[in-house]
Amino acid sequence: MTAARTVWGIGLSTIAGDGTVLDAWFPEVRAVAPSDQDAAASALQQHAGSDERRNVTVEVVGLQIDLDAAPASTSDAYLRLHALSHLVVRPNELNLDGIFGYLPTVAWTNAGPMHPNDAARLRPALQRAGIQVQGLDKFPRLTDYVQPAGVRIADASRVRLGAYLSPGTTVMHEGFVNFNAGTLGSSMVEGRISQGVVVGDGSDIGGGASIMGTLSGGGTHRVSIGARTLLGANAGIGISLGDDCVVEAGLYVTAGSKIVVVDGPATADGGRTTVKGAELSGRNGLLFRRNSLSGAVEVVQRTGVGVTLNEALHA
């Protein structure tokens, strides 16, 4: 029998006046039980208590979870998101089934989370206290809970808790990284990385580019991008890309796209072989482009390595 994969966390949970658990923050996520559990809990106890302004109570929470089992509570769900953002476990390597059911919609304020009904009811008092609602969502900003080492994030509101960002990654202002998604090495992110998508070392997601995830209509296939691959500005993919690939700016390649294989064998009538995008998914060294005369989507085998990131920028 395979041993259970577990993680431990001791942190602080915010509870609304009606008993709704709004969030949980875990300063550390450990693969084994901490030997100093009592000391860790005591250190956090000083931050526990009530905040009448937001009608919430903050309590110390400690738990162990099985990464292969489905989430069982709000604190459990948050510990899973922390495990991803602390780089303890990679995207798609833990069970997140039913996680939305344990994540309430929260009014995220500059003073912390609160229940949306309380945010509406207490609006005048909140204004006098300088507390502003910055969003209504199930997921908070990554940087409100975890500051990933060696990472640059230009606009914190565009990266959710549960994003997996490796050192050397830069997320520019228009870049977006969802939960259970991210980068496996140094990468430039100026486009959208959807849930379930992983991007390899040295790859560049161009401005306005989009990667189709399973939550946005991409079916069951989990899209991945290999190393040193470029997804051009305003381009998009619904298939995986291997290492050293390039997708031309403005081109969207899906599993059903009809693609002409330029350097493939000729057909019986002297034409070129045409395949669906799904048949090229995950292959290395491909250039996807659109023929400027016919408008047809074409693929050409590339030679050599793909893009090279600016080492100073991603140091």
Side-chain angles (χ1 to χ4, degrees):
M1 180 180 296
T2 303
R5 297 188 304 141
T6 61
V7 294
W8 290 74
I10 298 175
L12 296 172
S13 179
T14 308
I15 304 169
D18 67 354
T20 301
V21 178
L22 299 174
D23 79 336
W25 168 63
F26 298 95
E28 292 183 88
V29 179
R30 306 184 185 185
V32 296
S35 58
D36 56 346
Q37 295 182 57
D38 293 339
S42 296
L44 289 173
Q45 191 63 48
Q46 63 178 312
H47 303 295
S50 62
D51 184 346
E52 295 181 357
R53 302 172 305 167
R54 294 181 289 134
N55 190 31
V56 301
T57 301
V58 178
E59 298 180 356
V60 175
V61 59
L63 73 161
Q64 175 190 20
I65 62 172
D66 180 352
L67 293 174
D68 296 314
S73 67
T74 298
S75 296
D76 180 328
Y78 266 84
L79 184 51
R80 291 169 195 270
L81 297 177
H82 278 75
L84 285 161
S85 292
H86 279 291
L87 310 187
V88 174
V89 59
R90 287 187 172 189
N92 305 318
E93 294 183 358
L94 75 169
N95 191 335
L96 297 174
D97 293 345
I99 191 171
F100 289 102
Y102 291 108
L103 296 175
T105 298
V106 173
W108 301 105
T109 80
N110 58 330
M114 61 185 302
H115 197 290
N117 293 346
D118 290 333
R121 177 175 60 85
L122 299 172
R123 181 176 181 274
L126 293 172
Q127 286 186 312
R128 289 195 298 272
I131 298 176
Q132 300 176 335
V133 176
Q134 300 171 327
L136 293 170
D137 196 9
K138 288 179 175 290
F139 292 83
R141 300 182 301 189
L142 167 67
T143 54
D144 286 343
Y145 292 78
V146 178
Q147 284 73 52
V151 170
R152 295 171 56 208
I153 301 174
D155 185 346
S157 67
R158 298 183 63 83
V159 182
R160 280 175 154 180
L161 178 64
Y164 183 105
L165 299 178
S166 295
T169 294
T170 296
V171 184
M172 296 301 289
H173 297 78
E174 295 304 315
F176 171 82
V177 187
N178 210 339
F179 79 102
N180 193 39
T183 60
L184 305 182
S186 298
S187 295
M188 170 61 81
V189 182
E190 298 178 273
R192 179 183 179 85
I193 301 179
S194 298
Q195 193 274 150
V197 174
V198 290
V199 176
D201 185 35
S203 290
D204 187 331
I205 311 303
S210 177
I211 307 170
M212 188 181 294
T214 54
L215 294 180
S216 56
T220 58
H221 174 63
R222 293 192 180 275
V223 176
S224 63
I225 290 180
R228 302 174 302 279
T229 285
L230 170 64
L231 187 57
N234 297 316
I237 54 171
I239 64 171
S240 294
L241 299 176
D243 299 340
D244 305 307
C245 291
V246 174
V247 178
E248 176 185 273
L251 177 63
Y252 211 114
V253 181
T254 67
S257 296
K258 299 296 180 63
I259 303 174
V260 178
V261 183
V262 174
D263 45 10
T267 60
D269 60 1
R272 292 293 182 185
T273 301
T274 299
V275 300
K276 288 187 176 181
E279 298 180 48
L280 302 172
S281 184
R283 296 191 187 182
N284 298 330
L286 298 181
L287 164 63
F288 294 89
R289 69 191 187 192
R290 188 176 294 280
N291 188 295
S292 59
L293 296 178
S294 68
V297 180
E298 300 177 339
V299 64
V300 179
Q301 188 71 46
R302 300 181 68 250
T303 58
V305 298
V307 297
T308 301
L309 299 179
N310 184 318
E311 292 185 4
L313 185 64
H314 297 272

